[in-house]
Amino acid sequence: MSIGDLVTLMRGGVFQIFILSAPILGAALIVGLLVAIFQATTSIQEQTLTFVPKLFAILAMLALLGAWMFASMRGYTLNIFQMISQMGR
């Protein structure tokens, strides 16, 4: 395995992490922004008001995209295992 192969493998892993985490973090960011705007306009400073909607948004995104996330990780893992078997030859 050359350095180029190792760099490609690491780049693919980091890219996979970004692709899988972006929808969840984006949903939490949007919900957090909406709640912050609501709190600023109504002067309500309740801590659970910021936590609970983000939690539900994250759970909803996991429920909606969980199958896609699993399929993506499965494909990446199978690709890694194929590379391992090719290195043994």
Side-chain angles (χ1 to χ4, degrees), residues 24-80:
I24 295 171
L25 293 175
L29 177 74
I30 290 170
V31 169
L33 182 63
L34 292 175
V35 169
I37 290 171
F38 175 74
Q39 282 184 325
T41 56
T42 60
S43 298
I44 298 174
Q45 297 301 323
E46 180 65 32
Q47 290 293 358
T48 57
L49 187 61
T50 61
F51 179 71
V52 174
K54 282 187 211 176
L55 181 66
F56 286 140
I58 290 171
L59 290 175
M61 290 301 287
L62 284 173
L64 290 174
L65 299 177
W68 168 76
M69 294 170 95
F70 179 74
S72 178
M73 277 304 295
R74 180 180 176 267
Y76 181 74
T77 304
L78 290 176
N79 187 21
I80 296 280

